Amino acid sequence: MSLNREKYLALVTLLEQLRSDATTTQIDALELRQRVASLQHFFRQQIVPIADENSQVQSYQTEMSKQLRLLEIDVMFLQGARQASTVQARLQTISDRLTTLIQYCDAIL
């Protein structure tokens, strides 16, 4: 197995764990924010440096970068949510975004 493939698989594992924790446990917004920051750090350190001449992979990486930034904004909105219905809506948006990121990784793999 190539090292690049292993890095994408590690990213998928992190994304799936975060999605699972965000949807099934009572994770607080601060912890979620810290985990998203850690996820972004992993992406910048391990995934971005992977040079690939395949333009489709580059496109996916660009989209993943954008989705990670949007995920950070979603978490900030979650922190500001006061009503239970708003919190649930924000958590669903976060889950959907994580699913999108997982699908991008699957497409690359």
Side-chain angles (χ1 to χ4, degrees):
M1 183 182 296
S2 75
L3 185 59
N4 293 351
R5 183 171 169 79
E6 288 179 19
K7 289 178 181 181
Y8 279 108
L9 289 172
L11 180 61
V12 167
T13 301
L14 292 172
L15 291 166
E16 288 174 342
Q17 184 63 49
L18 184 58
R19 182 179 62 182
S20 173
D21 290 348
T23 56
T24 61
T25 63
Q26 290 295 345
I27 188 170
D28 68 347
L30 182 59
E31 181 183 349
L32 192 58
R33 189 173 191 172
Q34 291 169 342
R35 291 186 54 189
V36 167
S38 174
L39 189 64
Q40 289 174 320
H41 180 74
F42 179 86
F43 181 79
R44 283 191 303 272
Q45 297 297 315
Q46 301 294 323
I47 303 297
V48 171
I50 297 173
D52 197 316
E53 287 140 25
N54 183 338
S55 64
Q56 192 171 13
V57 171
Q58 289 292 330
S59 295
Y60 279 121
Q61 283 185 341
T62 300
E63 283 301 311
M64 290 170 71
S65 179
K66 180 180 84 172
Q67 291 294 321
L68 283 167
R69 288 191 309 271
L70 291 170
L71 180 61
E72 183 179 21
I73 293 168
D74 292 335
V75 173
M76 285 192 287
F77 284 150
L78 174 65
Q79 283 182 298
R82 298 292 171 242
Q83 295 181 354
S85 61
T86 306
V87 169
Q88 286 305 318
R90 300 290 182 209
L91 286 172
Q92 184 60 50
T93 301
I94 289 168
S95 176
D96 293 346
R97 198 163 312 279
L98 289 166
T99 299
T100 300
L101 284 161
I102 292 167
Q103 290 170 342
Y104 288 154
C105 287
D106 289 343
I108 291 171
L109 291 170

